[in-house]
Amino acid sequence: MAALIAENFRFLSLFFKSKDVMIFNGLVALGTVGSEELFSVVAFHCPCSPARNYIYGLAAIGVPALALFLIGVIWNNHTWNLVAECHKRGVKNFSAAATFLLFGSIMGRAAVAPVTWSVISLLRGEAYICALSEFVKPSSLDKFPSEYGAEVLARFPCRDVPANLTKFRDEVTRRLRYESQLFGWLLIGIVAVLVFLTKCLKHCCSPLSYRQEAYWAQYRSNEDKLFRRTAEVHSRILAAKNVKHFFGFVALDKEEKELVQEFPVEGVQPSPQWNAITGVYIYRENKGFPLYSRLHKWAKGVEGNGPTPEGHELLFLAS
């Protein structure tokens, strides 16, 4: 189970940090399918007891989906940018449209894994059969013995039934599996329509041309990679200087010595600079020139977070 959790974390991490969302959406879905299959084989065991089946069946579908959704929210950079924005500046500069875009982006990305889990669970049908077998009305079954009730129906998923009820068990299982798979296919259809409408709405409302939007995506990806790489080197060199100041020397390997010699670090960035480049960013232009990120905006010396007489804000959130 630890390996299963680690694998899901790996898929989600790649998904939420990748510039190629569609590819990693597929990876998240595949990882979730494999996890659900393993869970069904190893961990799912219907209690086959009245009043327990329903809770256990719903928990088998809902609890992992909820956990995957929360993990998705946690691993989404927009979530923590929103937290930083609310903490440092509030959301007074956000319009209703911008707020909707932001929450839609967070919820939409976080929903990939839980929706996949729910769909696969419904298509397999075991959890649904376990949850609802006891609620099948005996009167709906032709010539069902009157001496049996909900207690024996609850044992149908475990095949622990008298020999004379085998055909009824097969009929109940077939009926519930049909319902479960129907709900699964309906969920797939609803999600597909929603994704299609969302993509259409996004491109129709986008203030950017297709090529500029592709350039913006490339810029964000490159800026993030370079920032992380530079921050790692900067923090290592700064740590080396502080350790040397404390001990009088610092034990560096060859590569680290070359870094210290090549990139002299004089100090650290003050908190106002970190605050200026941290938070939610919605595409803006200043005097007709695009500002592709908070770092870009800070480097250009543009002040403020909202529209100004010299600048124009276009409410378009980075995907």
Side-chain angles (χ1 to χ4, degrees):
M1 188 59 70
L4 172 63
I5 296 174
E7 187 68 13
N8 271 309
F9 266 92
R10 187 174 70 85
F11 276 116
L12 289 168
S13 175
L14 288 171
F15 165 65
F16 289 114
K17 294 178 180 177
S18 172
K19 64 179 181 179
D20 198 338
V21 175
M22 295 302 295
I23 291 177
F24 285 96
N25 272 0
L27 291 177
V28 170
L30 289 175
T32 306
V33 169
S35 300
E36 204 282 335
E37 291 289 334
L38 182 61
F39 174 80
S40 298
V41 173
V42 177
F44 184 81
H45 298 288
C46 185
C48 294
S49 174
R52 295 180 181 177
N53 284 12
Y54 184 70
I55 297 175
Y56 185 81
L58 290 185
I61 298 175
V63 173
L66 176 62
L68 290 170
F69 178 79
L70 293 177
I71 292 172
V73 172
I74 291 171
W75 278 91
N76 194 331
N77 289 334
H78 286 325
T79 302
W80 306 115
N81 284 333
L82 177 62
V83 172
E85 188 75 22
C86 293
H87 178 65
K88 297 296 182 182
R89 289 174 284 269
V91 292
K92 59 182 182 297
N93 293 311
F94 282 1
S95 66
T99 304
F100 176 79
L101 282 172
L102 177 61
F103 279 100
S105 175
I106 295 173
M107 299 298 111
R109 292 190 183 189
V112 174
V115 167
T116 303
W117 179 279
S118 300
V119 166
I120 298 302
S121 296
L122 290 172
L123 292 180
R124 287 183 60 87
E126 281 84 353
Y128 187 90
I129 293 171
C130 176
L132 296 181
S133 61
E134 64 182 284
F135 297 103
V136 175
K137 294 182 179 180
S139 58
S140 66
L141 302 173
D142 187 33
K143 298 179 181 180
F144 187 81
S146 58
E147 64 269 22
Y148 298 111
E151 183 175 352
V152 71
L153 288 169
R155 299 206 305 270
F156 276 12
C158 296
R159 302 179 180 273
D160 181 21
V161 295
N164 62 324
L165 297 181
T166 300
K167 67 175 183 178
F168 297 107
R169 183 202 65 203
D170 294 340
E171 181 180 350
V172 169
T173 300
R174 185 166 52 251
R175 183 188 303 179
L176 293 178
R177 179 168 282 111
Y178 153 77
E179 293 178 2
S180 179
Q181 292 182 347
L182 177 62
F183 289 139
W185 290 118
L186 287 176
L187 182 57
I188 290 175
I190 292 172
V191 170
V193 171
L194 288 176
V195 170
F196 172 75
L197 293 177
T198 302
K199 295 292 288 185
C200 290
L201 183 63
K202 175 187 173 183
H203 287 289
C204 289
C205 298
S206 172
L208 306 179
S209 67
Y210 172 77
R211 290 188 179 276
Q212 188 179 8
E213 188 175 340
Y215 177 86
W216 186 23
Q218 291 174 342
Y219 173 85
R220 290 197 313 271
S221 176
N222 290 325
E223 182 189 82
D224 183 66
K225 290 178 181 178
L226 291 172
F227 188 91
R228 290 175 182 273
R229 192 185 309 161
T230 305
E232 196 278 332
V233 173
H234 186 282
S235 61
R236 186 185 303 184
I237 297 173
L238 181 62
K241 290 181 62 175
N242 292 335
V243 171
K244 182 177 181 179
H245 182 74
F246 183 81
F247 287 106
F249 73 96
V250 59
L252 300 175
D253 58 28
K254 182 178 179 181
E255 179 184 354
E256 290 170 335
K257 288 179 180 178
E258 293 175 352
L259 288 176
V260 170
Q261 293 175 356
E262 184 177 358
F263 304 110
V265 173
E266 300 299 332
V268 297
Q269 287 66 35
S271 294
Q273 288 187 10
W274 286 103
N275 294 337
I277 66 170
T278 302
V280 176
Y281 185 74
I282 295 177
Y283 179 81
R284 292 176 174 86
E285 292 183 358
N286 181 259
K287 298 180 181 179
F289 291 95
L291 300 173
Y292 290 119
S293 68
R294 282 197 172 275
L295 181 61
H296 188 192
K297 180 180 176 183
W298 172 84
K300 289 295 184 181
V302 179
E303 300 292 336
N305 191 44
T308 64
E310 297 80 16
H312 179 58
E313 179 184 23
L314 297 175
L315 298 179
F316 186 60
L317 185 68
S319 59

